[in-house]
Amino acid sequence: MVKAANSRGTAPGTPPRTRILIVGGGYVGMYTALRLQRKLRAGEAEVTVVTAEPYMTYQPFLPEAAAGAISPRHVVVPLRRVLGKCRIVIGEAQRIDHSKRTVTVATLATADEGTGPVEMEYDELVLAPGSISRTLPVPGLADYGIGFKTVEEAIGLRNHVIEQMDIASSTRDPALRDAALTFVFVGGGFAGVEALGELEDMARYAARYYHNIKPEDMKWVLVEASDRILPEVGPEMGVYTVRELRRRNIDVRLETRLESCENRVAVLSDGARFPTRTVVWTAGVKPHPILAASDLPKNERGRLACTSFLTVEGVEHAWSAGDAAAVPDITAAEKGRECAPNAQHAVRQAKVLADNLLAALRGEVLTEYAHKYAGSVASLGLHKGVAHIYGRKLKAYPAWFMHRAYHLSRVPSFNRKMRVLSEWTLSGLFKREIVSLGSLEHPRAEFELAAGGGPKTPPPPPAPNPPKNGQG
């Protein structure tokens, strides 16, 4: 274990700067650091961001990236570019000892150095690691399930869907063809419904380029344990979404659970069995494991117990927001309600958190976080969508347009806004891309073959990875 260097007291006669350590480079982590670097006075504090990846993923664009409407590079925001005045440390926070004000971090270099994790000291801690996929002990899920929380998973899923169409087009085995053209999505929230809607739309378009595959040959199944999907857009829009998906021959099964997917067969609680090579798991999230490896107070669901000022309850010099934090919703009519763990709250909480942290450093009054939920928008494919915003209900093209306009306004940095807008414009003028770059997952395979090693046996499908950069 080694201690990380810091700049406290580097110049004689200069008061030490406050060390602010932000764990997580998602919504809360990036937006908090961005606001701090804009508003901190010269020499007032130094900001360090510890994150597993050098970018922030704008998750609402993952379905469009999977459908090929947006380049994967434009779904992410490079932290080193937008946080030029902050120190960026790429690594995994393994343990937090707030009583000693230290965070143990395993960086990309620690394994090669052989020195063990780095112990980083801080004066103020902002804990924003986000969340990870909430999986259940479903037989076969770890072997065959595909997640949908990172840009890597989104692009991998796109490549996988097109690859299954290629398999179905070339096989002479009817059972293999049916399994390749059956796609099961588990979870009726935003991630599952939008991913299913965009990919079904993309695959329907791609089918015109296959001589022996028609859209009706493909089977798309959405499995949801509750009695409705997209609860955020309201009951009426949820019913419309089910009707719209079924109109597209998508099999929507409510109050149904995935019991097993062993041997590439999805077995549902209603007795249905679907031989399939594609099971996409989007059934919720849970707090990041770093919270359990800290001495900070947590609620019964494992999230940090926070105040409306975005401080950790009963603890000084610790702050949190987003998916990791249980923040009271002071705008709610009923007492005890918490803010929903979504991007809309996370971005606004980051602004208040940064301002309150600065106020605490300067001995000023803190501000409570209060934001009444404005509503939600969801895309169901090209020119299709649902929305419930400020009491107004939209569907079809108007909702889809609102979805794009809203998220274009929210994606960070002018650079990314212009790149996304230009891609949307070009996609409206030219045909869709239907290319699969599945070889990206094993880039050395061709060279190994050329170098004389012979063809390598591909590794078994990995278990779903926790998301890197939580979306809190």
Side-chain angles (χ1 to χ4, degrees), residues 9 38 110 129 142 173 194 234 370 466:
R38 288 174 180 168
T110 51
D173 182 345
E194 289 193 317

Side-chain angles (χ1 to χ4, degrees), residues 26-35 38 56-60 128 310 321-323 339-355 369 371 406-407 409-412 417 470-472:
Y27 286 105
V28 172
M30 192 203 74
Y31 278 107
T32 299
L34 190 62
R35 192 164 182 85
R38 288 174 180 168
M56 184 272 260
T57 302
Y58 191 73
Q59 273 201 318
L310 303 178
D323 287 3
C339 295
N342 56 37
Q344 185 177 145
H345 280 299
V347 172
R348 289 171 172 82
Q349 287 172 357
K351 177 181 176 181
V352 175
L353 191 158
D355 289 345
Y369 173 74
H371 170 66
Y406 173 78
H407 286 300
S409 71
R410 294 299 175 183
V411 68
K417 285 180 171 61
Q471 314 307 317

Side-chain angles (χ1 to χ4, degrees), residues 66-369:
I70 302 176
S71 168
R73 296 188 306 276
H74 302 155
V75 175
V76 299
V77 180
L79 296 179
R80 296 190 189 278
R81 176 183 293 174
V82 298
L83 302 178
K85 297 181 181 179
C86 301
R87 178 188 174 205
I88 307 297
V89 176
I90 306 303
E92 291 279 359
Q94 297 181 330
R95 187 170 61 255
I96 297 173
D97 190 342
H98 191 64
S99 62
K100 297 180 180 178
R101 307 277 182 90
T102 60
V103 174
T104 303
V105 181
T107 69
L108 294 177
T110 51
D112 291 336
E113 290 174 344
T115 55
V118 176
E119 192 175 84
M120 303 184 69
E121 298 177 339
Y122 61 84
D123 299 307
E124 299 285 344
L125 174 68
V126 178
L127 192 51
S131 57
I132 65 172
S133 295
R134 177 176 59 85
T135 58
L136 299 176
V138 176
L141 182 61
D143 297 320
Y144 302 112
I146 303 172
F148 198 77
K149 276 189 69 67
T150 67
V151 67
E152 295 89 351
E153 288 174 328
I155 303 310
L157 181 56
R158 169 187 169 80
N159 292 336
H160 174 82
V161 169
I162 297 177
E163 182 181 87
Q164 298 312 303
M165 296 179 71
D166 290 335
I167 290 172
S169 176
S170 57
T171 185
R172 290 177 290 179
D173 182 345
L176 176 58
R177 174 186 167 89
D178 288 345
L181 293 180
T182 300
F183 307 95
V184 178
F185 286 68
V186 183
F190 278 112
V193 173
E194 289 193 317
L196 170 60
E198 291 284 355
L199 284 166
E200 189 275 341
D201 204 48
M202 182 270 294
R204 178 182 293 271
Y205 175 87
R208 68 181 66 181
Y209 297 101
Y210 289 81
H211 71 282
N212 58 352
I213 295 180
K214 298 177 181 178
E216 52 268 27
D217 295 337
M218 294 182 282
K219 184 180 297 181
W220 299 81
V221 183
L222 177 63
V223 180
E224 168 54 36
S226 69
D227 61 352
R228 61 175 177 164
I229 63 174
L230 293 181
E232 297 87 351
V233 299
E236 183 181 334
M237 291 293 98
V239 170
Y240 165 80
T241 303
V242 171
R243 189 166 62 247
E244 168 66 17
L245 294 178
R246 286 174 174 166
R247 188 185 64 80
R248 291 157 60 177
N249 292 323
I250 296 172
D251 187 354
V252 180
R253 296 182 176 243
L254 304 178
E255 298 183 276
T256 307
R257 298 179 308 278
L258 177 69
E259 298 285 356
S260 169
C261 57
E262 286 185 304
N263 302 318
R264 296 190 181 275
V265 177
V267 181
L268 307 186
S269 59
D270 61 3
R273 298 170 61 89
F274 295 99
T276 178
R277 298 169 60 87
T278 308
V279 175
V280 183
W281 182 269
T282 63
V285 296
K286 63 182 180 181
H288 195 282
I290 186 60
L291 302 188
S294 75
D295 55 354
L296 296 170
K298 294 166 280 291
N299 67 6
E300 63 280 0
R301 292 188 299 278
R303 299 168 72 195
L304 290 178
C306 292
T307 69
S308 57
F309 299 99
L310 303 178
T311 59
V312 177
E313 204 169 78
V315 178
E316 294 183 341
H317 311 292
W319 311 76
S320 187
D323 287 3
V327 179
D329 186 355
I330 63 175
T331 67
E334 11 176 329
K335 291 184 179 180
R337 288 196 59 179
E338 298 172 356
C339 295
N342 56 37
Q344 185 177 145
H345 280 299
V347 172
R348 289 171 172 82
Q349 287 172 357
K351 177 181 176 181
V352 175
L353 191 158
D355 289 345
N356 279 349
L357 203 163
L358 289 171
L361 294 180
R362 298 166 184 172
E364 299 170 356
V365 178
L366 306 189
T367 304
E368 286 189 292
Y369 173 74

